[in-house]
Amino acid sequence: MVLQVQTSTYEAKTQEIAKQLLAATQENRSFFSSLRDQMRWDDKLLAWAMSNPGLRVQLFRFIDTLPALHSKSEIASHLQEYLGDESVELPAALKGMLNFANPDSMPGQVAATTVGTAVETLAHKYISGENIKQVIKTVERLRKEKMAFTIDLLGEAVITEAEAQSYLERYLELMQQLVEASKNWSVIPAIDEADGEPIPKIQVSVKLTAFYSQFDPLDAKGSEERVSDRIRILLRRAKELGAAVHFDMEQYAYKDITLSILKKLLLEEEFRQRTDIGITIQAYLRDSEQDTEDLISWLKQRDYPLTIRLVKGAYWDQETIKAAQKHWKQPVYNDKVATDANFETITQLLLENHQYVYSAIGSHNVRSHSRAIAIAESLNVPRRRFELQVLYGMGDKVAKALVDKGYRVRVYCPYGELLPGMAYLIRRLLENTANSSFLRQNLENHPIEELLAPPIVKEEKNSLTPDSDFLGAADTDYAEEEVRTKVAQAFQHVRQQLGKTYLPLINGEYVNPPEFVDSLNPSNFSEVIGKVGLISVEQAEQAIQAAKAAFPGWKKTPAKQRADILRKAGDLMELRRAELSVWIVLEVGKPVKEADGEVSEAIDFCQYYADEIERLDKGVNYDIPGETNHYIYQPRGIAVVISPWNFPLAIACGMTVAALVSGNCTLLKPAETSSVIAAKLTEILVEAGFPKGVFQYVPGKGSQVGAHLVNHPDTHVIAFTGSQKVGCKIYAEAATLKPGQKHMKRVIAEMGGKNAIIVDESADLDQAVVGVVQSAFGYSGQKCSAASRVIVLQPIYDAFVQRLVEATKSLNIGEAELPSTQVGPVIDANARDHIREYIEKGKAEAEVALELPAPEQGYFIGPVIFSEVSPNAVISQEEIFGPVLAVIRVKDFQEALAVANGTNYALTGGLYSRTPSHIQQAQVEFEVGNLYINRNITGAIVGRQPFGGFKLSGVGSKAGGPDYLLQFLEPRALTENIQRQGFAPIEGAD
């Protein structure tokens, strides 16, 4: 099916204007001639990137790394590593330049200088200056060419409150200096006035999220309050100075909350009459037309116009990848032509409502500008209410041609140092070298008819999908307001159920136990979540006997039937997602987003293991003529699952359903502090259809009930997640043959880690700091995968620690249910006291870089960072299981790996590096079960990152992986001689 954009009354005029503009831009194309004639190195790099996709990827990766490289030798070696890759076909000139034996050699130094200078030259094409003085010079040149400007401050990602405050102060300073400079500027009627109305000479463009380091749609109210305070300061100062302020649009996750904050703020009495403020719409978003209609309706209500800048959008790759990874609907159009068509639709919508809105049409596509002009002229849109915009260094010829024809043109001018500007530079390079780019197509002399053809939207291609057949559950997208409302309702619903009693389930009946314990909210230990019944040893024996009786029938139940029950359990969890998340938040103090991720993991275990048992149930045939050989699996018998409190739903569910779907009768003994959530899991498994005696919920004391179940001669499999001490004890006890026992027990044990992240000198520090903070302090460091050591190379150690401390200071510590909370409580008083003991040990053997205070009413511990820690210190070697981080200094990468591997554990590890050889070396030598490169080290996803370690981190195969169910099964080989009196059927014979 082909949907054609209606050829409207504007089309003929669009074509006429576009042809005139194109002719003007093609008369003297300095960029094209430089590619052919001058062949400067910066131009060569761009030309090569356009013609060679493999080189384009590696070249841009190298450019991304360049600001972190501090010597010519480093630049030369990285050049070789990136561009010497076998997948890259090099042009002869580049191949010759890279043919040096040693990065320290003269040819190596020459290569580094040549390419470094070329990249810097490229950057200055798109970045208007490195400081305010240079920017003023740039804008004064633009004004001479009758072009207006808007200035955008390039910056490192705002990850600390100090940086957010600095962002505001730098804009206040920028406006002040621009206004001072403007006192010497003469009025240029083409850009400084229209329809008898003055237009501010100074305009700045700002990003909302940069005003608050913890900006998060989940915490919509808190984010709005913190951001609005700083925006008010900016807008008041802008008014005093006579400067205009425009708000850029960023990633899709922030769009709705950004529009909501601005709409609310700009209706305040103080700002309602302001018309020198702008908002941005991105046409590549599928809901941008609706957003534009909503904004226009709001502007009618406001009664004073604002500028709406229409752009195509700059984060397409990022948005597409994020949606694929999260299993969310893709927010952006797949095809550029669909974006172009939507851009034209919204252009028309804006200009047809010119009495309510000032339109600023931002593009480098001659057709897009021409379309806007055609509509504006047809509707007689007043000059004040319409302008065209281009990015600095992009579409210079188009801009000049537009000015020559009498239109107001504004140039978007980013400024800042090369380092923070590199991400911006790469976005511009990607745009310039993409096959679908108008600038590139114009450069390559595509036919005029093709360049100016109206966008025809075809049926869209599929968005990105993962390589795996298994598609996991989608986490909740808290950017959607109705989702946040649903969570608030779930909290109200669950709170009405607090304090209820939960009984053990034995042989299909809820039974009265001899003892009850209160499960408390660790954020507020005066709040009882539920009363949990603990079984006696006698009741544990009854449960074993019930499982023994149920096993023959469950063993014979077809795998498909068992799998379908499990899938139903997953579906029930999805239906109860919000409620289950709330129980996790309240019973174990896990913040909302992380609790939601845990529900996804539990659902994934159900769906993944259902698929897996159907795969394994087929067995394998090894037939030969005259003989059949079938390799099959059968269940082992009775499985005892001992689950932890830190993933009270996901791990309890994963171990339990793996045992069940494999055909084993299963007893779940959860940690006492998370037994209410295990009771909720029990409700779901019973409703899904697991028969009586097949699944039983047996909360009880580990020292009595746990020991009885582990030592029982009828127990076949023990699946345990918890401490190394308890895991090793279970392993030893299970190895002892008990009277009447006719089998060896299988133990699957995950026993924690002392997980390290290495940060080398080529790392992206923004990315590394954010990843380390998430890995170390997410769920207060109470994940077996959490980072408790960061190993940092000498050259960047001090800078890293400084930013890490500031970023950690900016975290919100509080009750887990508050949407602003990033660091909640630890699980109970014992854990709190245990962690405090380690903090005291740390103070005796290292320097305290940061110790944050914590609330008193719950089991809280503020994050603690130790610096200058010895690799052999107690806090570097022993698992603490709390928000305590040791930062270790090393001289080189080899030492970093040695330190990382220098503990008894091997669970998770991380590396932040942009050096290909370091990444390769870590993949081989970093001794961990799960290695994460250039991302945080927590949050393993079923079927994507199967989870588990070795050494003293555990025994058994990885959860959520293709080998996991094998541990709950016994393999058998069945051989039959099918010859009768010398006759046997032979396939293919007559």
Side-chain angles (χ1 to χ4, degrees), residues 32 149 200 704 864:
F32 184 59
F149 64 85
Q704 297 160 17
V864 179

Side-chain angles (χ1 to χ4, degrees), residues 207-404:
K207 292 174 177 57
L208 209 68
T209 61
F211 290 107
Y212 177 40
S213 64
Q214 308 306 312
F215 192 92
D216 183 355
L218 174 60
D219 181 27
K221 188 168 179 289
S223 297
E224 180 188 320
E225 285 170 4
R226 299 293 292 270
V227 161
S228 298
D229 286 346
R230 284 179 171 140
I231 291 173
R232 289 188 189 99
I233 294 168
L234 181 77
L235 293 180
R236 285 170 193 145
R237 185 63 181 139
K239 186 180 182 183
E240 290 167 10
L241 293 169
V245 176
H246 196 99
F247 292 94
D248 282 330
M249 194 58 76
E250 303 170 79
Q251 288 86 349
Y252 182 70
Y254 304 134
K255 173 182 67 75
D256 287 350
I257 184 176
T258 296
L259 291 172
S260 168
I261 289 171
L262 292 175
K263 283 179 182 176
K264 201 165 166 185
L265 190 78
L266 297 176
L267 281 181
E268 289 176 8
E269 201 53 46
E270 183 180 358
F271 305 112
R272 182 167 188 154
Q273 296 181 25
R274 294 279 288 273
T275 58
D276 55 352
I277 295 168
I279 296 173
T280 305
I281 289 286
Q282 298 161 310
Y284 70 177
L285 294 178
R286 295 169 190 269
D287 46 15
S288 52
E289 184 183 353
Q290 183 61 54
D291 287 336
T292 308
E293 287 175 0
D294 293 346
L295 271 175
I296 290 167
S297 300
W298 171 77
L299 283 167
K300 289 176 182 175
Q301 171 203 343
R302 186 178 184 264
D303 223 16
Y304 294 91
L306 292 171
T307 299
I308 293 182
R309 175 195 289 151
L310 178 63
V311 297
K312 303 268 168 95
Y315 303 95
W316 187 88
D317 299 71
Q318 196 180 104
E319 299 289 9
T320 307
I321 290 165
K322 183 177 181 181
Q325 288 184 347
K326 294 275 189 183
H327 312 305
W328 289 344
K329 187 180 169 193
Q330 189 175 305
V332 292
Y333 290 110
N334 275 326
D335 298 314
K336 185 179 180 298
V337 71
T339 298
D340 289 342
N342 193 42
F343 191 91
E344 293 191 5
T345 301
I346 297 173
T347 298
Q348 185 170 331
L349 184 60
L350 291 172
L351 291 169
E352 286 175 351
N353 287 279
H354 59 81
Q355 62 271 50
Y356 310 110
V357 62
Y358 301 145
S359 300
I361 309 301
S363 178
H364 309 109
N365 185 323
V366 167
R367 179 184 164 87
S368 298
H369 281 310
S370 303
R371 183 72 167 187
I373 294 166
I375 298 168
E377 289 184 353
S378 301
L379 297 175
N380 291 316
V381 174
R383 279 191 69 245
R384 173 66 187 95
R385 293 179 176 257
F386 168 60
E387 72 180 31
L388 301 160
Q389 297 194 352
V390 296
L391 288 170
Y392 182 78
M394 306 261 293
D396 294 352
K397 294 290 164 190
V398 177
K400 186 177 185 314
L402 290 167
V403 169
D404 290 346

Side-chain angles (χ1 to χ4, degrees), residues 28 62 139-140 222 271 301 305 436 512 526 603 619 670 779 818 906 955:
N28 175 21
F62 167 75
V139 300
E140 286 176 346
F271 305 112
Q301 171 203 343
S436 56
N512 282 311
S526 63
I603 296 166
Y779 192 35
L818 298 176
V955 59

